[in-house]
């Protein structure tokens, strides 16, 4: 149960003054909450300002610089209402000792303004100065109060990220009410760290961020931000440490295997494992042989051969008498894993099957029955595999591909399908070390950094869209020579439909040029349509595959050596790198053409030049973190994984390290969080919605 102390912070925002159900929904959208759950007071308080406005400049009307935000003490002279039916603005004229000014209002309500700006009164008015026809004016002042109420005017005002339907004033009013609800919370910081850092208390830090002081108007209070960021990181690291401990404590099984099945697979491979692959296999086998549960992250750059390493783990598990499951994020990838693994499984007599959400009822029924009877050794599929009604005879190993699409609770759910299930998580998104700590702190890590033998680096070229005709002509020559190529259409921000429309349009144009040698793949096709298009591209007459980003992960066609990415400036670095990794998978030299629409912004230009300069996915990931922040890289914006509301992994990497060490030490000294600090840390876990971790505590 959540401590009652926190109840005020988990009150729905609609209880705050000025926020009705409609505004609450708008706020939910702004905070990235799902539509079912109304945001709470804590969600609002964790929506920090992006900057501040300094209103302390009081130069007098005549000396007010154009474009500056100033605060003026004026006397209201007269109102000038526009003629009825006119579109002219409403004007209020005022003066001070230095000159005169006009306050301008469009679509104004006269009676309201007459009441707000009474003629003959002295007022304090704040806003941005403009010069129009040699007159000084202020359009829609931000604040206006009677001179007697000058104390009500904020000297330094926070600026919040907003969305349509929300005004700054509305948000500030709600925020002031929310701050009044913050209770006195027990301090969860380590006393030694508290003395060393001299950070403000949690509640004081929140007040400092939302009510910035005139002493540090530029960026808010850096000490307050560090304190709140650390609290959020500590909640996250403690939750990960508890998950790790829970999985380690749930008794593992020491698996016995001789390596016979692995050797059969190695003999069937057309190449030998790289040094990195062999090392990763050895680490995994050591984990499987130990009596504790394996929880390992296998990081490999695009095309580094993670799937083969995963299959060697399957060989060990199956040889020990257990079943294995390999879970992929998309149908395309699940079916492709199945097709590429089947020949190697056959060589080692491992019985493999595939199961996805789109299979027919009869086929699903038969596969599930075989799985439950133990007639399948390895099942490959999508997240449909861990839904309630799927049962295994003896699940021993779960392999999750593209981990960042699956949160902590999904990995707990999947591993609960058997006794002491070992877990291997694979990702082709090279993740900077900081983020490995942040999201996978509960795992041991193996890294594959080299490409399998015989693969050549991919040459990357940037080409302006105006030269598309040359690109098409070059493609024609390549297709005539039997080359296969991808053409990826842009991610269009407005909607999925436009993304799809762009692909369909490009498909039609290229079909007119190349005839039936072109196929189309997008996310709205049925599994059969996608599989058929992919098969024609891999083994048939189709030479050019036009696609949306549905082909981003795991599609493996060694004969494809050209990748064209249209409007490359709209993609993030990691995504460009993933897409580029669809070529260069055979022994032929490959090329990636990044088509961009000039002029491009500074960040997009930096992305394109990094792509041109390097094929190193880990270097690219570090740059991506610097350019974009962690939420975009890991896909947390879409996946429901816990992104950070306050802390920023790129800026506060040192705090994540500290939080990780702190969490580890806490659990060594106070494993059940029953000490005074331990109880305070339980409050912290609830505060940052890491409740699942609290349930893992033996005592509570």
């Amino acid at each position: 149960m959540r401590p009652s102390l926190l109840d005020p912070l988990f009150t729905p925002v609609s209880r705050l003054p000025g926020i009705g159900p409609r505004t609450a929904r708008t706020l939910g959208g702004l905070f990235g909450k799902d539509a079912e759950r109304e945001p709470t007071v804590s969600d609002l308080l964790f929506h920090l300002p992006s900057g501040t406005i300094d209103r302390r400049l009081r130069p007098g009307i005549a000396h007010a610089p154009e474009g500056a935000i100033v605060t003026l003490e004026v006397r209201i002279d007269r109102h000038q209402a526009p003629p009825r039916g006119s579109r002219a603005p409403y004007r209020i004229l005022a003066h001070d000792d230095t000159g005169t000014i006009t306050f301008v209002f469009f679509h104004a309500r006269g009676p309201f303004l007459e009441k707000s700006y009474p003629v003959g009164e002295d007022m304090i008015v704040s806003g941005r100065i403009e010069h129009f026809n040699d007159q000084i004016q202020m359009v829609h002042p931000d604040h206006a109060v009677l001179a007697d109420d000058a104390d009500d005017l904020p000297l330094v005002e926070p600026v919040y990220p907003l969305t349509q339907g929300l005004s700054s004033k509305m948000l500030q009013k709600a925020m002031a009410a929310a701050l009044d609800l913050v209770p006195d919370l027990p301090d969860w910081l380590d006393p030694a760290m508290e003395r060393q850092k001299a950070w403000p208390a949690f509640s004081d830090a929140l007040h400092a961020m939302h009510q910035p002081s005139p002493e540090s108007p530029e960026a808010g209070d850096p000490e307050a931000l560090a304190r709140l960021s650390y609290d959020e990181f500590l909640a996250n690291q403690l939750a990960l440490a508890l998950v790790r401990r829970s999985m380690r404590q749930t008794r593992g099984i020491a698996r016995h295997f001789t390596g016979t099945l692995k050797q059969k697979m190695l003999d069937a491979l057309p190449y030998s494992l790289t040094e990195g692959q062999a090392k990763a296999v050895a680490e995994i086998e050591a984990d499987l042989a130990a009596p504790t549960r394996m929880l390992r992250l296998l990081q490999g750059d695009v095309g580094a051969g993670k799937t083969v390493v995963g299959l060697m783990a399957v060989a060990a598990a199956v040889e020990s008498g257990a079943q294995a499951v390999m879970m992929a994020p998309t149908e395309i990838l699940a079916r492709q894993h199945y097709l590429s693994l089947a020949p190697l499984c056959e060589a080692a007599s491992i019985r493999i099957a595939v199961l996805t959400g789109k299979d027919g009822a009869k086929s699903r029924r038969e596969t599930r029955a075989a799985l439950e009877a133990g007639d399948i050794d390895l099942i490959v599929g999508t997240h449909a595999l861990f839904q309630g009604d799927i049962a295994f005879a003896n699940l021993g190993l779960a392999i999750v591909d593209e981990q960042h699409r699956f949160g902590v609770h999904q990995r707990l759910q999947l591993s609960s399908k058997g006794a002491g299930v070992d877990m291997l998580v694979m990702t082709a998104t090279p993740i900077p070390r900081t983020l490995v700590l942040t999201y996978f702190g509960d795992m041991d890590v193996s890294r594959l950094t080299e490409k399998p033998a015989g693969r050549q680096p991919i040459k990357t070229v940037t080409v302006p869209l105006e030269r598309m005709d040359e690109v098409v002509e070059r493609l024609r020559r390549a297709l005539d020579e039997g080359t296969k190529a991808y053409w990826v259409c842009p991610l269009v921000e407005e909607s999925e439909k436009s993304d799809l429309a762009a692909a369909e349009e490009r498909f039609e144009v290229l079909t007119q040029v190349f005839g039936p040698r072109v196929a189309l793949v997008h996310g709205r096709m049925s599994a059969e349509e996608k599989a058929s298009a992919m098969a024609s591209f891999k083994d048939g007459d189709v030479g050019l595959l036009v696609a949306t980003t549905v082909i981003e992960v795991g599609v493996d066609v060694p004969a494809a050596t050209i990748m064209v990415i249209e409007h490359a400036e709209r993609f993030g670095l990691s995504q460009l790198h993933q897409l580029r990794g669809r070529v260069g998978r055979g022994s032929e030299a490959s090329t990636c053409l990044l088509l961009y629409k000039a002029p491009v912004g500074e960040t997009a230009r930096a992305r394109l030049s990094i792509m041109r300069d390097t094929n190193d996915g880990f270097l690219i990931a570090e740059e991506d973190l610097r350019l974009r922040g962690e939420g975009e890289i890991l896909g947390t914006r879409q996946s429901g994984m816990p992104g950070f509301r306050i802390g920023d992994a790129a800026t506060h990497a040192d705090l994540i390290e500290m939080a990780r060490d702190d969490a580890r030490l806490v659990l060594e000294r106070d494993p059940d969080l029953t000490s005074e600090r331990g109880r305070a840390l339980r409050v912290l876990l609830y505060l940052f919605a890491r409740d699942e971790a609290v349930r893992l505590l033996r005592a509570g």
Side-chain angles (χ1 to χ4, degrees):
M1 289 288 288
R2 184 173 63 226
S4 56
L5 174 73
L6 291 175
D7 288 351
L9 296 180
F10 285 85
T11 306
V13 282
S14 56
R15 307 260 177 91
L16 296 172
I19 294 190
R22 196 165 164 190
T23 309
R25 278 196 300 277
T26 307
L27 283 170
L30 181 63
F31 304 155
K33 296 286 166 194
D34 58 51
E36 269 71 80
R37 191 174 78 74
E38 184 181 319
T40 62
V41 168
S42 66
D43 290 325
L44 180 67
L45 288 168
F46 295 158
H47 184 64
L48 296 188
S50 54
T52 53
I53 295 173
D54 189 348
R55 299 195 180 279
R56 291 174 301 169
L57 182 62
R58 296 186 172 222
I61 293 170
H63 310 299
E66 184 172 11
I69 288 175
V70 302
T71 299
L72 303 170
E73 186 162 350
V74 300
R75 175 159 294 184
I76 305 301
D77 294 327
R78 61 195 171 90
H79 285 237
Q80 234 177 42
R84 188 182 291 277
S86 158
R87 290 193 168 186
Y90 191 107
R91 292 184 167 86
I92 299 174
L93 283 68
H95 74 277
D96 69 4
D97 294 343
T98 69
T100 60
I101 187 167
T102 307
F103 301 124
V104 180
F105 300 87
F106 294 92
H107 314 296
R109 300 200 310 276
F112 173 76
L113 289 174
E114 283 168 12
K115 195 173 165 189
S116 306
Y117 292 80
V119 173
E121 288 287 356
D122 290 329
M123 295 194 72
I124 310 279
V125 183
S126 186
R128 194 177 295 280
I129 290 292
E130 293 179 14
H131 290 179
F132 181 72
N133 286 346
D134 295 332
Q135 301 287 315
I136 297 172
Q137 65 177 32
M138 191 183 282
V139 179
H140 291 276
D142 301 327
H143 294 276
V145 297
L146 292 171
D148 293 346
D149 301 329
D151 292 347
D152 294 349
L153 189 81
L155 293 176
V156 177
E157 188 178 4
V159 178
Y160 293 96
L162 295 171
T163 187
Q164 194 171 3
L166 272 185
S167 73
S168 190
K169 273 187 181 162
M170 188 191 291
L171 201 58
Q172 284 176 25
K173 184 179 177 187
M175 205 64 84
L179 284 168
D180 288 343
L181 295 176
V182 178
D184 276 336
L185 296 174
D187 206 336
W188 42 75
L189 282 192
D190 175 61
M193 178 188 282
E194 209 165 357
R195 286 191 296 276
Q196 181 200 344
K197 291 291 183 188
W199 284 333
F202 174 80
S203 169
D204 295 340
L206 266 183
H207 278 83
M209 291 307 297
H210 292 296
Q211 296 170 334
S213 78
E215 282 72 60
S216 58
E218 300 79 27
D221 186 331
E223 294 300 307
L225 180 60
R227 163 74 209 237
L228 296 174
S229 300
Y230 185 77
D231 290 338
E232 188 175 26
F233 292 146
L234 181 57
N236 185 62
Q237 288 300 316
L238 194 54
L240 282 172
L242 285 165
V243 169
R244 180 188 179 93
R245 188 183 70 182
S246 161
M247 295 196 81
R248 293 272 190 245
Q249 280 173 345
T250 320
R251 211 167 48 78
I253 294 170
R255 305 193 186 278
H256 303 289
F257 45 89
T258 58
T260 312
L261 295 188
K262 176 177 82 170
Q263 196 51 53
K264 286 182 179 176
M265 284 186 178
L266 290 173
D267 293 343
L269 278 175
Y271 52 81
S272 40
L273 299 184
T274 64
E275 205 177 304
Q277 284 175 311
K279 182 175 178 237
V281 170
E283 288 169 343
I284 290 165
E285 287 180 339
D287 285 353
L288 292 173
T292 50
R293 292 173 70 184
M294 171 169 79
L295 192 54
R296 183 169 288 276
L297 174 69
L298 176 62
Q299 266 194 286
D301 201 350
V302 181
K306 295 175 304 303
T307 315
V308 169
V309 173
L311 197 52
M312 298 299 147
V314 169
V318 171
E319 197 177 334
S320 76
Q323 291 169 299
V325 54
M326 185 179 281
M327 190 160 77
T330 65
E331 301 248 342
I332 281 192
L333 188 48
R335 295 198 173 277
Q336 193 160 313
H337 274 332
Y338 171 70
L339 293 171
S340 63
L341 299 178
L344 290 168
C345 286
E346 197 179 325
S349 306
I350 289 174
R351 299 163 296 177
I352 181 173
V354 63
L355 180 67
T356 66
K358 296 225 175 116
D359 292 343
K362 181 169 181 272
S363 150
R364 276 176 68 84
R365 222 173 20 252
E366 288 169 358
T367 307
R368 281 165 46 189
L371 199 58
E372 202 166 345
D375 298 335
I376 293 172
D377 299 315
L378 168 62
I379 182 97
V380 180
T382 57
H383 60 279
L385 285 173
F386 63 83
Q387 282 159 356
D389 55 354
I390 304 264
F392 295 81
N394 176 22
L395 179 61
L397 172 67
I399 299 179
V400 179
D401 199 5
E402 284 311 310
Q403 153 67 13
H404 59 272
R405 316 279 174 101
F406 300 103
V408 167
H409 57 285
Q410 278 114 326
R411 43 186 205 252
L412 286 170
Q413 226 179 331
L414 184 64
S415 64
S416 68
K417 292 281 182 186
V421 179
D422 291 301
M423 183 162 282
L424 176 67
V425 158
M426 309 195 296
T427 177
T429 307
I431 305 170
R433 183 170 181 280
T434 308
L435 296 192
V436 170
L437 287 183
T438 307
Y439 289 94
F440 312 107
D442 55 338
M443 297 188 178
D444 298 310
V445 181
S446 297
R447 254 188 174 193
L448 302 179
T449 49
E450 55 218 305
K451 294 276 200 300
R455 294 203 178 167
Q456 300 186 31
I458 302 160
K459 183 183 178 191
T460 304
V461 186
T462 51
V463 185
L465 276 171
E466 294 84 77
R467 291 174 52 197
M468 191 186 283
D469 291 350
E470 293 173 40
V471 172
V472 171
E473 191 47 49
R474 183 181 162 186
L475 259 185
R476 183 202 300 278
R477 291 201 298 275
L479 294 183
D480 289 346
E481 289 165 10
T483 298
K484 292 192 183 277
Y486 296 99
W487 187 299
V488 176
C489 288
L491 202 68
V492 179
E493 273 133 32
E494 293 80 83
S495 74
E496 256 184 80
K497 202 164 71 182
S498 17
D499 176 5
L500 175 53
E504 286 176 332
E505 199 177 302
R506 181 61 59 222
F507 170 66
E508 281 170 27
V509 170
L510 293 172
T511 303
Q512 286 166 16
V513 179
F514 301 124
R517 293 185 289 178
V518 188
L520 173 68
V521 170
H522 58 74
R524 301 212 179 160
M525 291 168 126
S526 69
E528 293 73 35
E529 288 170 322
K530 282 184 214 162
S532 159
M534 288 304 302
S536 317
F537 179 55
K538 190 169 185 175
D539 306 311
D541 302 332
V542 169
L544 178 64
L545 186 69
V546 177
T548 58
T549 54
V550 72
I551 64 151
E552 177 191 344
V553 172
V555 173
D556 192 3
V557 182
T561 56
I562 297 175
M563 166 63 75
V564 179
I565 303 175
E566 192 176 334
H567 278 294
E569 77 279 1
R570 292 184 188 165
F571 293 89
L573 253 179
S574 288
Q575 197 170 29
L576 286 172
H577 182 61
Q578 286 286 342
L579 289 166
R580 174 170 66 181
R582 298 306 106 222
V583 295
R585 301 178 84 83
S587 53
E588 300 291 311
S590 296
T591 308
C592 175
L593 299 168
L594 303 175
L595 299 184
Y596 66 90
K597 184 175 171 38
V600 292
E602 205 174 314
T603 305
R605 187 181 298 114
R607 277 189 214 129
L608 295 177
S609 84
I610 291 162
M611 286 295 293
R612 235 185 6 240
D613 297 343
T614 182
N615 275 289
D616 180 341
F618 290 98
L619 179 65
I620 284 169
E622 296 288 352
E623 286 299 315
D624 205 17
L625 178 60
R626 193 175 60 75
L627 291 171
R628 287 200 304 166
E630 94 278 350
E632 305 295 339
I633 290 181
L634 289 167
T636 57
R637 300 281 178 268
Q638 294 80 32
S639 73
M641 262 183 74
F644 290 122
R645 296 289 309 276
I646 297 172
D648 177 308
T651 324
H652 293 125
D654 57 326
L655 295 183
I656 293 176
E657 297 263 7
M658 281 164 51
R660 188 189 194 203
D661 293 343
D662 194 2
R664 197 183 288 148
L665 204 58
V666 164
L667 291 187
E668 277 172 21
R669 291 175 177 169
D670 180 18
D672 299 327
L673 301 187
T674 50
S675 67
E676 190 181 349
R677 186 184 179 209
R679 291 194 299 276
L681 284 165
R682 287 178 179 233
V683 172
L684 174 73
L685 287 168
Y686 278 110
L687 178 63
F688 283 100
R690 299 296 194 269
D691 322 13
E692 284 179 19
V694 185
R695 290 188 209 117
L696 298 174
L697 284 162
R698 285 194 298 265

